[in-house]
């Protein structure tokens, strides 16, 4: 079995996120890191390999992003991937979710994995949709919010976290699975793995290398446009009951709750 | 001049930061309260290859540089000084002399176990009457029938009395007298008859680290346990201390950063006079000062590490870094407690523990006054 993990470089969790008003895009100039949700996908791949149920021949980390995204790939291979692929091209800059999904699907076509794993969301864009978009372009099944994977030859049995409980779904391979963060506790990379990360193969691919039609990507090729960015409306200030007479305060609070049918 | 960390250094720092936040921070207060040695954390650090960061892979080390080691110690000290000193004393003081001067046999015997964290190493230099004046050591080792017979006492020794302590390298007088005394380093394995680690000290801070007096009573080890050449002990321990100072500086930088983290978070959250106290200039100035001094101290520490890695003399920079960072850590923790007000004086908040942990940083691994002597000497005085 060959597993590809889609990973992304995102602003570090400690960085205050802001939208650049000129580009309407996230300011990515600060410290960056591997999307923490993707570490769960890498861990899931490692656990499939270590379970020994099927033979995993290769785990490949795949990213699309600027030059700095190489660091996210170094971390991905330090966490266990055998090699990595970096799709980078100025033509891809500004791609929306659909265009990004198309571009990643083209890389995956050249890799022909049996299973594609990714985190359920990115810590920056938080669209939750890239897995489904990639699957659509590849015309393979897709599952989201997966928190348990049982692997068998040629298929998976997955548990999905659904709104009111769990769905157990069997899916034929190849498939694209986006995993929830409840699926596992990602390991820490060992110092040895960190020091060895740059020794693992890294292929840099341009749009042309994987047959991407550049009219379908970038700002021009994207089907969505950001027209305006607005902060969420300010919350109405809450109602404060000064506690002068506790019995009376309790009555007031109960009345307030009853009025809104909350009790 | 390049201030950028390598990808490996960044990833290591990030990994240790995450480890410290997730694995260490939740248990640090309890380990401190119960004075429990962090066996589980040391085992986990060992699995990650963090108990032998700057030693070659052939001995089970991480094959990384001194700056990587500094970054790791800094991130640990940011949340728990006890764990940080356990790692720092093991790496800089315990393992280093064996790596630097050990024979192939000694390295093969000890380094794989030490670098993996399966065993801990200690360095026994300080004595009841030989602290800053470490050359005044009274412990003796007399060669008799192919064995060193050791008699004497050491004190304030870190990592010598845990369940996983493997050995202590001690300085002992091996010949001569008066100013011509010959000092040598000798490896004494734990469990050697006549070598007794005493009861742990009741310390002001670093409660979860292992610190004890050691006694040697007709303790016999093979002649081959001599480390390096006979009579070179004085030179050797000065060199070990130089390197150790970089590790302790990293601890001070980490602790000051931890104090700053806590003070900043608390100042933004604590409400007084109708808003967060971070609005007040009095608070802002304290935090701004610590932040500025911390960045300067951090750069000095990193420079000492880079000098060591590039093979340049680093005695001066290491002493300067130790002097500056230790004082800063004490000051930063004091201000962090001050910003916390009454809450800073109770153990509910980490700054209380930080304050107790800070003071040793102006004393251990050479007092401030010794650093000043070293610096003055380097300046030709």
């Amino acid at each position: 079995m060959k597993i590809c993990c889609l990973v992304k470089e995102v602003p570090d969790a400690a960085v205050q996120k802001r939208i650049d008003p000129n580009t309407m895009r996230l300011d990515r100039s600060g410290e960056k890191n591997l999307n923490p949700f993707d570490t769960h996908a890498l861990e899931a791949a490692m656990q499939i390999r270590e379970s020994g149920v099927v033979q995993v021949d290769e785990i490949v980390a795949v990213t699309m992003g600027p030059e700095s995204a190489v660091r996210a790939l170094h971390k991905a291979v330090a966490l266990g991937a055998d090699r990595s692929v970096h799709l980078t091209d100025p033509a891809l800059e500004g791609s929306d979710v659909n265009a990004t999904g198309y571009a990643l699907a083209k890389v995956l076509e050249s890799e022909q994995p049996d299973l594609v794993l990714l985190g359920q969301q990115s810590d920056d864009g938080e669209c939750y949709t890239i897995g489904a978009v990639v699957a659509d372009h590849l015309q393979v099944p897709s599952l989201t919010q997966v928190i348990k994977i049982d692997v068998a030859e040629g298929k998976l049995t997955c548990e999905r976290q659904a709104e009111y409980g769990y769905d157990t779904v069997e899916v034929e391979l190849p498939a694209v699975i986006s995993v929830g963060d409840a699926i596992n506790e990602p390991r820490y990379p060992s110092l040895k793995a960190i020091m060895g990360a740059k020794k693992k193969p890294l292929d840099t691919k341009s749009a042309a290398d994987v047959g991407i039609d550049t009219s379908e990507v970038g700002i021009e090729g994207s089907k969505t446009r950001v027209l305006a960015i607005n902060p969420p409306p300010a919350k109405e200030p809450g109602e404060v009951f000064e506690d002068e007479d506790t019995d009376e305060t309790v009555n007031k609070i109960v009345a307030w709750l009853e009025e809104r049918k909350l009790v | 001049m390049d201030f950028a960390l390598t990808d490996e250094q960044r990833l290591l720092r990030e990994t240790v930061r995450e480890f410290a936040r997730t694995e260490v921070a939740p248990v640090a207060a309890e380990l401190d309260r119960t004075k429990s040695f962090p066996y589980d954390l040391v085992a986990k650090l060992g699995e990650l290859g963090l108990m032998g960061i700057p030693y070659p892979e052939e001995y089970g080390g991480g094959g990384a540089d001194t700056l990587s080691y500094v970054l790791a110690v800094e991130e640990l000290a940011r949340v728990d000084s006890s764990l940080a000193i356990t790692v720092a004393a093991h790496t800089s003081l315990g393992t280093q002399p064996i790596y630097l001067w050990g024979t192939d046999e000694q390295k093969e015997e000890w380094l794989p176990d030490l670098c993996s964290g399966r065993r801990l190493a200690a360095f026994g230099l300080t004595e009841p009457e030989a602290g800053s004046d470490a050359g005044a050591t009274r412990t003796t080792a007399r060669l008799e029938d192919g064995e060193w017979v050791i008699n004497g006492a050491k004190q304030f020794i870190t990592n010598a009395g845990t369940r996983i302590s493997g050995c202590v390298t001690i300085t002992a007088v091996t010949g001569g007298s008066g100013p011509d005394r010959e000092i040598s380093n000798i490896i004494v394995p734990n469990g050697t008859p006549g070598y007794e680690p005493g009861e742990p000290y009741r310390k002001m801070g670093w409660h979860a680290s292992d610190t004890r007096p050691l006694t040697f009573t007709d303790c016999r080890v093979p002649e081959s346990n001599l480390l390096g050449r006979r009579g070179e002990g004085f030179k050797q321990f000065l060199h070990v201390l130089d390197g150790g100072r970089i590790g302790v500086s990293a601890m001070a930088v980490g602790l000051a950063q931890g104090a700053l983290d806590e003070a900043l978070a608390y100042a933004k959250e604590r409400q007084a006079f109708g808003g967060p106290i971070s609005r007040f200039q009095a608070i802002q100035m304290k935090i701004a000062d610590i932040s500025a001094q911390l960045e300067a101290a951090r750069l000095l520490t990193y420079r000492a590490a880079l000098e060591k890695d590039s093979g340049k003399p680093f005695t001066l920079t290491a002493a300067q870094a130790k002097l500056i960072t230790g004082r800063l850590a004490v000051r930063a923790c004091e201000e962090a407690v001050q910003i916390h007000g009454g809450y800073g004086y109770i153990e509910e908040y980490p700054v209380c523990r930080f304050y107790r942990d800070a003071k040793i940083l102006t004393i251990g691994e050479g007092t401030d006054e010794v650093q000043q002597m070293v610096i003055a000497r380097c300046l030709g005085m």
Side-chain angles (χ1 to χ4, degrees), chain B residues 27 31 33 43 99 103 176 182 207 210 293 311 336 339 356 368 381:
Chain B
V27 297
L31 290 170
R33 191 180 70 78
Y99 169 65
T103 60
E182 172 195 275
H207 283 167
D210 183 80
Q293 289 161 14
I339 289 168
R356 290 187 283 99
D368 279 5
M381 286 187 272

Side-chain angles (χ1 to χ4, degrees), chain A residues 36-47 50 79 147 179-189, chain B residues 18-19 21-23 44:
Chain A
F37 293 94
D38 296 337
T39 61
H40 294 277
L42 289 157
E43 180 64 30
M46 290 298 286
Q47 289 186 9
E50 287 162 0
L79 285 166
I147 54 151
V179 302
D181 52 4
I183 191 169
N184 53 41
E185 280 289 328
R187 66 197 68 189
Y188 299 96
Chain B
E18 184 64 27
F19 180 87
R21 193 165 49 197
T22 315
E23 312 284 332
K44 285 180 185 173

Side-chain angles (χ1 to χ4, degrees), chain B residues 175-196:
Chain B
S177 62
D180 298 325
R181 285 164 350 126
E182 172 195 275
I183 297 176
S184 306
N185 278 316
I186 297 171
I187 302 172
V188 183
N190 281 62
T192 306
Y195 164 34
E196 290 290 336

Side-chain angles (χ1 to χ4, degrees), chain B residues 161-333:
Chain B
T162 72
R163 285 202 307 265
I164 54 171
S165 296
C167 64
V168 59
T169 298
I170 59 153
T171 49
V173 177
T174 47
S177 62
D180 298 325
R181 285 164 350 126
E182 172 195 275
I183 297 176
S184 306
N185 278 316
I186 297 171
I187 302 172
V188 183
N190 281 62
T192 306
Y195 164 34
E196 290 290 336
E199 284 298 303
Y201 293 103
R202 293 168 55 222
K203 294 171 288 187
M204 179 191 286
W206 286 4
H207 283 167
S209 77
D210 183 80
T211 321
R212 297 167 192 261
L214 315 178
T215 53
F216 300 88
T217 315
D218 290 330
C219 170
R220 289 172 171 269
V221 297
E223 187 178 355
S224 59
N225 281 25
L226 178 75
L227 187 61
R229 282 216 289 269
R230 186 170 171 170
E232 297 208 335
F234 190 83
K235 210 166 75 183
Q236 289 171 346
F237 80 65
L238 286 183
H239 186 83
V240 167
L241 291 180
D242 279 346
R245 277 167 199 154
I246 299 176
V248 174
S249 299
M251 289 193 57
V253 169
L255 180 56
Q257 180 68 58
L260 179 66
D261 295 341
E262 294 295 329
L264 185 57
Y266 185 80
K268 286 179 178 173
E269 171 197 305
R270 172 68 179 177
Q271 305 280 319
F273 305 103
I277 60 172
S278 59
R279 288 179 318 162
F280 300 123
Q281 270 194 337
I283 303 291
Q284 291 175 1
M285 287 159 133
K286 285 181 197 294
I287 286 180
D289 271 356
I290 297 296
S291 154
Q293 289 161 14
L294 173 58
E295 212 45 49
R298 175 177 282 130
L299 288 177
L300 189 56
T301 303
Y302 291 3
R303 204 181 107 186
L306 289 173
E307 282 178 358
K308 182 171 192 286
D309 283 332
S310 62
K312 290 186 194 137
F314 61 94
T315 303
L316 173 61
T317 318
Q320 287 170 330
K322 167 76 171 60
L323 180 65
I324 293 290
T325 58
R327 288 174 171 178
L328 171 66
V330 172
R331 179 94 186 109
C333 292

Side-chain angles (χ1 to χ4, degrees), chain A residues 70-83:
Chain A
V70 166
R71 291 212 186 104
L73 291 176
H74 285 152
K75 182 162 180 184
V77 294
L79 285 166
D82 301 299
R83 64 181 176 89

Side-chain angles (χ1 to χ4, degrees), chain A residues 63-200:
Chain A
T63 199
M64 171 178 136
E67 202 183 327
S68 63
V70 166
R71 291 212 186 104
L73 291 176
H74 285 152
K75 182 162 180 184
V77 294
L79 285 166
D82 301 299
R83 64 181 176 89
S84 59
V85 180
H86 182 198
L87 173 63
T88 187
D89 201 307
L92 298 164
E93 206 178 311
S95 293
D96 67 1
V97 173
N98 183 53
T100 302
Y102 159 69
L104 287 170
K106 295 303 281 184
V107 180
L108 294 170
E109 272 175 19
S110 69
E111 287 288 338
Q112 293 291 311
D114 302 288
L115 173 61
V116 179
L117 294 172
L118 70 158
Q120 66 179 19
Q121 75 207 77
S122 63
D123 206 28
D124 53 356
E126 302 204 67
C127 289
Y128 289 73
T129 46
I130 199 79
V133 175
V134 167
D136 188 51
H137 282 286
L138 293 174
Q139 289 295 292
V140 299
S142 156
L143 288 176
T144 55
Q145 309 270 7
V146 168
I147 54 151
K148 190 165 184 282
I149 298 176
D150 285 320
V151 63
E153 209 53 63
K155 64 179 186 186
L156 304 177
T157 307
C158 297
E159 211 167 274
R160 290 187 68 238
Q161 203 161 21
E163 201 170 352
Y164 300 105
Y166 300 94
D167 299 337
T168 304
V169 185
E170 193 176 278
V171 62
E172 301 261 323
L173 295 177
V176 178
I177 308 290
S178 85
V179 302
D181 52 4
I183 191 169
N184 53 41
E185 280 289 328
R187 66 197 68 189
Y188 299 96
S190 70
L191 178 56
K192 193 175 176 193
I194 290 170
M195 298 303 285
K198 282 188 180 164
K199 292 177 195 136
K200 291 187 176 179

Side-chain angles (χ1 to χ4, degrees), chain A residues 9-12 14-16 18 26-33 68 71, chain B residues 10:
Chain A
E9 182 194 49
V10 296
D12 189 84
V15 173
Q16 188 87 31
R18 65 176 279 275
L26 191 69
D27 175 2
R28 289 188 167 85
S29 58
E31 279 279 307
K32 290 182 274 284
N33 204 337
S68 63
R71 291 212 186 104
Chain B
R10 283 166 49 108

